[in-house]
Amino acid sequence: MPPREDSLSWATPEWWVRPNRGFREISRDRFIKLWTDAMARPKPNISLLRDETKGWISDLGHRAWIEQLYTKACAAALWSDTTALRYDVEVWNNATEAFADYVDPLIRISSSYQQSAKERRPVGLPAALNEPLRQLYLSDTCGAARRALILSEDCGQITLTKASADQFLAEPTRAGAQVDAAAMRGFARGLMKWVDKLEESSDGAADPDILEVLYSKIDHLSETYGEPDALLRKPTQEEIDIVEAELNRVITDNPALVRRKGKMLSGFTSSVATEDDVVGDAWVRARKYLLKNLIEGDPLQPEKTFLLKLKWTIFDLRRRELRIIDRTHWVADSSDAETFSSATASRSETHSYQVENDRVELRTVFADAASYLEDSSVGEMYAHRDPDVVDGVCWERRTAIKFLRAGATNTTPLTLDAASITKLIVAMHEIDTPTDAMKSSPSASAKMVIQLLRIGIAGVLTADDIESGDVQFGKPLNQTWSQRTNVLTRQLAHSHDALTRTESK
């Protein structure tokens, strides 16, 4: 066992309870957030830390030696059902030991390679490009270093066994040159992706001076550290066979997955697709995503991937059917919004009408978010502790679900901002004078309702949904699609991190 740093003296049994508002039950993602918040300074960029943490534990959670050291339940908690609350304190105490022994030092080591890229970054670029460049040497560089340490024989394949992990942590500089070279190849690959995006977003009219600086740096890094991996090669037949066999195995041989699949499809009806069509489409989407993971050397998670793609296949089909309805259901720009569900006016009428595609997408998101707040374990975190409150459902959670259900059926405007919602909820609280509210004041209850609304929406969206194109969003005219995707994923990451907190006052 590697010696533990003095800076981890705070990592004691049940350390997370106090920062988790006194709750012992916690999700993996929340555990990661609290851990990275508590890490001793100096420490790297917090967003990078969390990404590296997830990358390391996704690998470690599948290792037999981690199961033997910290229990199988703990290993599973590191990578599966990452937003689900777990109530077994012993699981999280074991996770604390795993984090202190291996995860914390590993994420510090891989995150440190951001400095190597920063020192070798291209110079002479406009100030406006500093932030996207910073993201490259945070994510691409450190991710490449981590993958090299896990997968490359030259770098030790350090998580293969307990002995290899202990040996590396005892002497982390042993393969320093090889890991540094892999990190710089990752940085060069990130620069290549950036060049492609710049050329794509400008229709070939990107600033030649900027391209010259980037190409020059890519050439220099390639000559010094070796050619970076191709951006995305075609899969080999062997890789295709591996992925297809894994998908077929988890679908046909995993009873738990079949039960979860059955629950997602229960009550499914469609005029344009059968249940087999839905499962087949999800299989195709999962196959494409898993092949990409395999090509890039990332761990395969076929069960999780299939369920995610199944969820969004159903989601997209709902939107498709709603759009079919909307071809004949039109709504005036503002004042006729209430007639949306029954209006069947033709295009030739004198009013100026438009199809409300954004409304269709929002309604579906709201419906799924309401179900998330109703059915998921997130409700336990906001359960009322008074035994006299029916089912522990507090007034704030009930109100948030009511808002989402109303949005899903389009009976309220969908453009209310937080300030307007706050005023409305305060008024509702003063009228209802609820005895089952979690908060004592109307304004505090309103804040909690808004948090729950955001948690519900964040709970049904992931960064992968946005980046993979499974969910489509509009964009302002002054943004490229790449910029819009980056903005949305950053906002979603912030929501996942920040919106599970309840105001303490």
Side-chain angles (χ1 to χ4, degrees), residues 23 122 222 414 455:
F23 294 122
S222 300
L414 304 182
I455 288 168

Side-chain angles (χ1 to χ4, degrees), residues 59 83 128 139 162-163 167 176 182 185 197 249 264 297 301 315 323 348 366 391 403 427 430 434 440 461 469:
D59 176 77
T83 60
S139 57
K162 179 182 183 299
Q167 184 179 26
R185 290 194 295 272
K197 288 181 179 179
R249 177 187 61 79
M264 292 176 73
Q301 299 184 42
F315 184 95
R323 284 194 180 114
S348 60
F366 286 177
D391 296 328
F403 265 82
E430 291 173 347
S440 57
L461 297 179

Side-chain angles (χ1 to χ4, degrees), residues 393-444:
V393 179
C394 63
W395 182 85
E396 290 88 350
R397 182 178 169 215
R398 195 167 61 251
T399 301
I401 293 170
K402 185 185 299 184
F403 265 82
L404 291 168
R405 287 295 177 204
T409 56
N410 208 42
T411 59
T412 73
L414 304 182
T415 56
L416 286 175
D417 58 11
S420 301
I421 293 176
T422 298
K423 293 178 182 177
L424 181 56
I425 296 170
V426 167
M428 292 170 62
H429 191 286
E430 291 173 347
I431 293 171
D432 293 348
T433 59
T435 58
D436 56 351
M438 290 275 281
K439 301 297 181 181
S440 57
S441 71
S443 59

